[in-house]
């Protein structure tokens, strides 16, 4: 039904943003805190697949999926049906008070499909940041240690603990009070900007030396790493980096937490991006975004003995693992299990990779193409150098937005355009959106 209502096509009927969006934005500016950002003030009324419809009737191609959330596609029929059925039956009890089945079912799914051939358990929360907060609590409780190592260019959230774990203090932490203690940043593997020829194990050794000298292992509870960094600009570490780190961590009694909030749940063509590196063995996973077709739910999944180290009542929250969100998660997870979703991410990679590499060959302003599956990015430079080129990104994004293609930026230097389309996008729409991007680049 929804499908026939929203055709999978781009349509421009007014300037973007149009008059209705502009009127709504005026209301917003007087009602909503100025602290909340506004990337593209186009007010969305409905969506399906990879098309957003705004308040003026424009149909926008979505290459951002609400930052990697709508992987299964907007208003996916099975998610809509599961939510509608659940919402009429039971919307809340608080799982720790009186439990219900679908919370358990989500945990069973995640225990089964996260990598690692060991007994696992899970706990459910509401947001990515809350999952990261809890992974840190759980790791500290299990090890009785405090230190947490995170990486340059990392992003983990906007709460006090997680903004302290982000690489960029602006805009996330600046002025928002004291940062959390015992967090240390170490160098990430960034093949495009590392010394020429540096291998993954060498980049890992650089980080390990830093940890040993600067942090020390005695009080180190965990290292928390995004297997592919999201906000940092889709940094895929050099092969061997993640394995070398996790080998070192396990030899030193340090827990490895893979933050799979952005790169997980079929986004890269596997259930979890950690699976791409053989021998990389995270103990805990943080999972959110794409797990429930837009409904808020997150998880920490991992080694049973670590997950059970917390005392009863130590983990939880009022809404964590809400039954309606859990129903949506089951509907998403079943579709991935059924097959076709990971495969679609790989088809999208083939298209993105061919098109973006062709742009790199043609336009010297495109310095690097990287990513996996439906998580790919291009990094813009001043031609002939590696100097970040933010103005080029701003111009291309402006061109895309005014032509009804929603695309997101990323990167420590704000010079990356990232592609995170819903996996439900058609080849035709993806090519059309990339035509618009290329047109923007050609006009620079
Ligand atoms: N870990 C790896 O990517 C969220 C941030 C958007 P929440 N990234 C999008 C913004 O500007 O607020 C993210 C992530 C990784 C944790 C998080 C945090 O997830 O659900 O936003 O709390």
């Amino acid at each position: 039904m929804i499908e026939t209502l929203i055709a999978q096509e781009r349509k421009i009927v007014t300037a973007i943003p149009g008059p209705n969006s502009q009127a709504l934005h005026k209301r917003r500016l007087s009602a909503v805190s100025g602290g909340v950002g506004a990337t593209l003030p186009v007010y969305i009324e409905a969506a399906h697949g990879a098309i957003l419809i705004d308040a003026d009737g424009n149909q926008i191609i979505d290459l951002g999926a609400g930052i990697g959330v709508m992987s299964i596609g907007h208003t996916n029929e099975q998610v809509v049906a599961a939510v509608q059925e659940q919402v009429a039956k039971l919307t809340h009890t608080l799982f720790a008070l009186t439990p219900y089945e679908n919370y358990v079912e989500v945990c069973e799914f995640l225990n089964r499909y996260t990598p690692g051939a060991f007994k696992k358990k899970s706990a459910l929360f509401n947001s990515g940041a809350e999952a990261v907060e809890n992974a840190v609590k759980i790791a500290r409780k299990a090890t009785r240690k405090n230190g947490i190592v995170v990486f340059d260019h990392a992003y983990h959230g906007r709460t006090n603990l997680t903004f302290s774990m982000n690489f960029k203090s602006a805009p996330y932490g600046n002025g928002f009070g004291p940062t959390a203690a015992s967090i240390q940043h170490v160098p990430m593997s960034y093949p495009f900007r590392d010394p020429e020829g540096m291998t993954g194990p060498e980049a890992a050794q650089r980080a390990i030396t830093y940890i040993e000298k600067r942090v020390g292992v005695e009080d180190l509870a965990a290292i928390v790493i995004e297997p592919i960094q999201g906000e940092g600009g889709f940094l895929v570490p050099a092969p061997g980096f993640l394995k070398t780190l996790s080998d070192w961590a396990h030899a030193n009694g340090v827990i490895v937490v893979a933050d799979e909030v952005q790169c997980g749940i079929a986004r890269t063509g596997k259930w979890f991006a950690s699976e791409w590196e053989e021998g990389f063995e995270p103990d805990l996973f943080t999972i959110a975004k794409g797990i429930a077709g837009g409904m808020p739910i997150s998880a920490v999944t991992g080694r049973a003995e670590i997950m059970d180290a917390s005392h009863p009542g130590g983990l939880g929250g009022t809404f964590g693992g809400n039954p309606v969100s859990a129903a949506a998660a089951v509907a998403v997870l079943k579709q991935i299990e059924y097959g076709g979703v990971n495969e679609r991410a790989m088809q999208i990679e083939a298209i993105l990779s061919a098109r973006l590499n062709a742009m790199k060959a043609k336009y010297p302003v495109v310095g690097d193409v990287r990513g996996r599956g439906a998580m790919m990015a291009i990094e813009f430079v001043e031609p002939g150098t590696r100097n970040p080129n933010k103005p080029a990104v701003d111009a291309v994004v402006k061109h895309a937005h005014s032509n009804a293609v929603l695309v997101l930026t990323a990167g420590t230097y704000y010079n990356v355009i990232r592609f995170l389309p819903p996996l439900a996008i058609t080849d035709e729409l993806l090519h059309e959106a990339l035509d618009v991007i290329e047109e923007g680049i050609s006009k620079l």
Side-chain angles (χ1 to χ4, degrees):
M1 187 185 75
I2 304 157
E3 221 136 355
T4 52
L5 285 178
I6 303 183
Q8 294 299 293
E9 56 193 39
R10 182 169 63 122
K11 199 162 92 188
I12 303 175
V13 295
T14 67
I16 296 175
N20 292 337
S21 276
Q22 285 178 35
L24 283 165
H25 198 56
K26 218 172 136 202
R27 272 173 59 197
R28 169 202 168 128
L29 290 178
S30 103
V32 179
S33 159
V36 182
T39 300
L40 176 60
V42 161
Y43 286 72
I44 305 302
E45 287 194 341
H48 183 64
I51 289 291
L52 307 168
I53 300 195
D54 76 9
D56 295 281
N58 296 297
Q59 298 201 169
I60 297 167
I61 304 178
D62 183 6
L63 293 186
I67 316 200
V69 170
M70 301 311 302
S71 304
I72 202 71
H74 291 278
T75 52
N76 171 269
E77 274 172 60
Q78 292 175 51
V79 173
V80 171
V83 167
Q84 284 178 337
E85 193 188 322
Q86 182 62 47
V87 83
K89 244 169 36 186
L90 175 75
T91 56
H92 180 77
T93 65
L94 202 165
F95 185 78
L97 215 53
T98 45
Y100 39 87
E101 182 179 351
N102 62 13
Y103 184 116
V104 180
E105 201 177 355
V106 172
C107 295
E108 288 168 345
F109 259 110
L110 297 176
N111 298 342
R112 188 171 335 131
Y113 286 108
T114 42
F118 39 80
K119 168 83 178 151
K120 293 181 214 121
K121 291 195 177 181
S122 296
L124 304 182
F125 306 98
N126 301 288
S127 66
E130 210 186 336
V132 174
E133 288 258 353
N134 279 282
V136 168
K137 273 172 65 175
I138 290 165
R140 283 175 168 163
K141 184 79 181 179
T143 56
R144 314 258 159 188
K145 294 176 184 171
N146 296 312
I148 300 295
V149 155
V150 288
F151 289 80
D152 292 352
H153 313 292
Y155 181 88
H156 299 289
R158 288 175 181 274
T159 58
N160 194 165
L161 173 64
T162 56
F163 82 55
S164 310
M165 296 166 71
N166 294 346
F167 180 61
K168 287 200 276 200
S169 58
Y172 308 116
N174 266 9
F176 289 121
T179 52
S182 304
I183 310 287
Q184 298 280 356
H185 286 84
V186 306
M188 178 63 182
S189 165
Y190 192 160
F192 182 60
R193 294 188 177 278
D194 280 341
E196 196 79 36
M198 181 181 247
T199 66
E202 284 164 359
Q205 194 50 55
R206 177 178 61 182
I208 289 164
T209 304
Y210 199 94
I211 298 171
E212 286 174 341
K213 301 291 174 208
R214 176 87 186 83
V215 185
V217 292
E218 302 79 39
D219 190 40
L220 184 55
I223 61 179
V224 181
I225 186 157
E226 299 159 81
I228 298 179
Q229 285 184 333
E231 303 304 300
F234 290 9
L235 300 191
V236 184
F241 178 77
L242 295 171
K243 178 192 182 323
T244 307
L245 271 178
S246 78
D247 286 350
W248 173 87
H250 291 142
N252 288 279
V254 175
I255 289 174
V256 177
V257 181
D259 183 345
E260 291 257 7
V261 166
Q262 191 156 157
C263 58
I265 304 289
R267 176 51 58 187
T268 67
K270 292 190 187 280
W271 279 87
F272 293 95
S274 297
E275 295 168 61
W276 284 106
E277 171 125 335
E278 210 174 317
F280 175 46
E281 274 196 9
D283 304 292
L284 298 179
F285 299 85
T286 54
I287 301 159
K289 290 194 188 283
I291 187 180
M295 297 297 289
I297 188 167
S298 67
V300 181
T301 297
R303 283 186 190 273
E305 65 274 20
I306 298 175
M307 293 299 296
D308 280 339
S310 297
H311 50 269
L315 305 176
T318 302
F319 290 119
N322 168 272
V324 182
S325 294
V330 170
V332 170
L333 295 165
K334 276 188 176 160
Q335 290 178 74
I336 303 174
E337 182 178 63
Y338 179 81
V341 181
N342 278 314
E343 293 75 4
R344 183 64 193 144
M346 295 314 292
Q347 292 161 357
I348 290 171
E349 172 178 328
I351 295 174
L352 280 173
S353 167
R355 292 289 309 264
L356 300 177
N357 277 301
M359 292 180 210
K360 182 180 169 211
K362 199 160 159 198
Y363 307 102
V365 75
V366 178
D368 193 30
V369 176
R370 56 179 179 252
R372 283 192 198 282
M375 182 175 189
M376 298 204 67
I378 46 182
E379 176 159 355
F380 286 73
V381 293
E382 292 167 0
T385 74
R386 286 190 195 173
N387 301 337
N389 193 340
K390 178 177 183 293
V393 164
D394 293 345
V396 174
V397 167
K398 191 163 173 246
H399 175 82
H401 288 177
S402 52
N403 284 284
V405 174
L406 175 59
V407 74
L408 308 175
T409 60
T412 294
Y413 315 105
Y414 302 99
N415 66 325
V416 174
I417 292 183
R418 57 176 149 171
F419 301 92
L420 279 170
L423 305 177
I425 196 168
T426 62
D427 288 2
E428 295 70 33
L429 269 190
L430 183 56
H431 276 294
E432 186 177 336
L434 289 166
D435 290 343
V436 171
I437 299 290
E438 180 158 6
E439 191 180 62
I441 298 176
S442 73
K443 283 186 172 165
L444 287 172

